[in-house]
Amino acid sequence: MEENIRDEHHGAHLEHPENAEHYTGLQVNAGIEQPPAINPYMTRRKHRPRLTVADYVEGILAGNPAILGQAVTLVESLVPEHQVVAQEVIEKCLPHAGKSRRIGITGVPGAGKSTSIDVFGMHVLERGGKLAVLAIDPSSERSKGSILGDKTRMEKLSVHPCAFIRPSPSAGSLGGVARKTRETIVLCEAAGYDTVFVETVGVGQSETAVHSMVDYFLLIQVAGTGDELQGIKRGIMEMADGIVINKADGDNVERANLAAAQFRNALHLFPMPPSGVLPEVLTYSGYYGLNIDAVWDMIDRYFEAVNASGYFEQKRRAQERYWMYETINEKLRSHFYNDPDVSAMLEQKERNVRAARQSSFAAAADVLDYYFTHKLQH
Ligand code: GDP
């Protein structure tokens, strides 16, 4: 019997000496023979050849969505060389940009933004042209799945050949995320997208950033449990060029109408907006596609009015100025805070300040002095 067992293991002994009887460590089984490759038909994927600035610009101007997508990835990249190429591409696209209606869409989660964007987007596309849907969500991170601009949330648009949907750039400072979206708008416009939606969650600071890059700001609300104005920041209402109450369907119609009346009353208390156009309040149903025409007519009326008054151009110029300063602020900040020596010094100074060993002003002055003398040579 024992002989048999030994014989059985004979092959293993040869292949794996550690299986010898006197060996007391980890045993290795002979196992089965492995195929030569996991998939012999799979050829190695070649690295995508790097496009030149001219390739990107040519592709974008030709309206190639794949190249546009790659260029946006470049804009979002944190790699300095990518940023250099991205900035050149943006510069070259700028003369071809600007010819779109930029519409910001905000509302709390669950208000029906994605459902509505799908319907509004299809409404726009049925009239021709191309639509880009972008998003600003500073809390999102690609790896965790961006909550805004997710393709699966816009069923019809996501399969429409004339729609370009892009989720929010991954998490970073709001300024950084917003600037990337701002730059993406330029690329989309150069690629011929004549309507741009920028979606954001109506709960934080991101509305201000979106407001500063769009021509029209639409606030989506739903009828709630009574006091509709509760929880809506006054600032957001002040920014809105139009307010729409979603889910005006079934049993909810009455409540939606009531909410609309409350919003109209509230808006009367606000000063006339600089556009000179009083924000309208409408009800609709994104899910059932009710009153979509009316919402879009309202937006058309706004564009007609501000084009005629010159406010459209005036606002765009003011936004350009705003973005110049925003870009400077953001670059200075990131140059400062991303410097490893500055970070180390900041940590140490923070400890000093917390322990009251140094005043906040003296600590700040020390760090800034160090930065200005040692880090701004080039
Ligand atoms: P978001 O978080 O603002 O993007 O909201 P969604 O578009 O994901 O919608 C949230 C929920 O509200 C979903 O379950 C939708 O089906 C529902 N919803 C959206 N629009 C309407 C509408 O017009 N009527 C009704 N009854 N439900 C809606």
Side-chain angles (χ1 to χ4, degrees):
M1 179 78 174
E2 211 175 31
E3 276 303 300
N4 278 349
I5 292 171
R6 256 191 214 135
D7 277 345
E8 253 177 45
H9 283 279
H10 190 66
H13 284 172
L14 288 181
E15 202 176 328
H16 299 290
E18 64 271 33
N19 282 354
E21 253 170 336
H22 60 270
Y23 181 79
T24 51
L26 195 68
Q27 303 257 316
V28 178
N29 293 327
I32 57 160
E33 212 176 296
Q34 297 295 325
I38 295 171
N39 178 356
Y41 301 104
M42 193 173 86
T43 49
R44 236 171 201 286
R45 237 203 235 182
K46 290 206 190 87
H47 276 294
R48 197 181 277 150
R50 276 261 227 107
L51 298 179
T52 63
V53 170
D55 292 335
Y56 280 116
V57 175
E58 197 184 311
I60 290 169
L61 295 183
N64 181 326
I67 295 191
L68 172 64
Q70 288 175 35
V72 174
T73 304
L74 217 58
V75 166
E76 293 173 353
S77 168
L78 298 173
V79 179
E81 301 107 74
H82 291 174
Q83 273 303 310
V84 173
V85 179
Q87 289 310 316
E88 276 188 56
V89 174
I90 293 165
E91 277 301 311
K92 294 221 158 51
C93 284
L94 264 176
H96 308 275
K99 296 177 211 83
S100 84
R101 286 179 168 196
R102 305 169 182 166
I103 298 171
I105 298 179
T106 194
V108 293
K113 288 182 297 301
S114 40
T115 311
S116 305
I117 287 174
D118 208 26
V119 179
F120 292 155
M122 289 307 292
H123 183 86
V124 169
L125 288 176
E126 277 158 19
R127 278 147 195 80
K130 300 205 295 181
L131 168 75
V133 181
L134 312 176
I136 293 187
D137 175 14
S139 64
S140 85
E141 238 176 76
R142 269 282 154 69
S143 52
K144 290 181 191 159
S146 173
I147 54 163
L148 292 181
D150 192 338
K151 288 186 185 190
T152 56
R153 293 164 68 238
M154 294 151 198
E155 283 174 18
K156 294 197 205 84
L157 283 185
S158 60
V159 292
H160 199 292
C162 295
F164 178 80
I165 304 179
R166 189 80 188 188
S168 176
S170 49
S173 70
L174 172 61
V177 171
R179 181 174 56 80
K180 288 170 186 181
T181 304
R182 174 77 181 76
E183 291 173 345
T184 300
I185 292 179
V186 170
L187 300 186
C188 290
E189 289 177 344
Y193 291 85
D194 50 13
T195 305
V196 178
F197 289 171
V198 185
E199 179 190 6
T200 190
V201 179
V203 287
Q205 291 292 306
S206 37
E207 291 73 34
T208 318
V210 175
H211 186 242
S212 62
M213 65 177 81
V214 297
D215 308 311
Y216 186 92
F217 198 58
L218 184 70
L219 174 60
I220 297 182
Q221 288 290 322
V222 277
T225 47
D227 187 0
E228 311 305 348
L229 302 180
Q230 234 178 28
I232 302 161
K233 295 200 186 75
R234 189 190 152 91
I236 296 182
M237 264 191 78
E238 251 165 328
M239 278 190 275
D241 297 301
I243 296 176
V244 283
I245 319 291
N246 188 21
K247 309 194 187 183
D249 45 54
D251 301 344
N252 216 21
V253 173
E254 274 303 301
R255 286 200 293 155
N257 286 337
L258 189 68
Q262 286 181 333
F263 275 109
R264 282 189 198 104
N265 285 339
L267 282 173
H268 280 307
L269 306 174
F270 286 16
M272 185 66 150
S275 64
V277 184
L278 261 184
E280 292 183 51
V281 183
L282 293 178
T283 62
Y284 77 107
S285 166
Y287 191 83
Y288 294 99
L290 307 173
N291 228 18
I292 307 298
D293 286 358
V295 172
W296 228 250
D297 288 349
M298 164 178 94
I299 295 174
D300 283 342
R301 276 196 296 280
Y302 176 89
F303 275 96
E304 272 164 33
V306 293
N307 274 323
S309 70
Y311 179 76
F312 179 89
E313 261 312 303
Q314 189 191 325
K315 186 173 177 182
R316 285 247 173 134
R317 297 284 76 79
Q319 288 175 336
E320 290 299 336
R321 179 184 172 280
Y322 171 90
W323 281 101
M324 182 182 86
Y325 284 106
E326 271 300 298
T327 307
I328 292 173
N329 293 347
E330 198 238 321
K331 295 248 163 168
L332 285 177
R333 249 170 194 280
S334 65
H335 189 258
F336 178 78
Y337 284 107
N338 291 339
D339 186 279
D341 296 329
V342 168
S343 310
M345 195 172 175
L346 274 174
E347 261 177 48
Q348 181 219 331
K349 290 291 173 188
E350 200 185 305
R351 279 197 297 276
N352 287 353
V353 171
R354 277 168 178 271
R357 280 194 294 271
Q358 200 177 15
S359 81
S360 52
F361 305 109
D366 285 353
V367 183
L368 288 171
D369 274 351
Y370 172 78
Y371 178 72
F372 289 138
T373 43
H374 294 98
K375 298 290 173 181
L376 293 181
Q377 306 299 331
H378 42 272

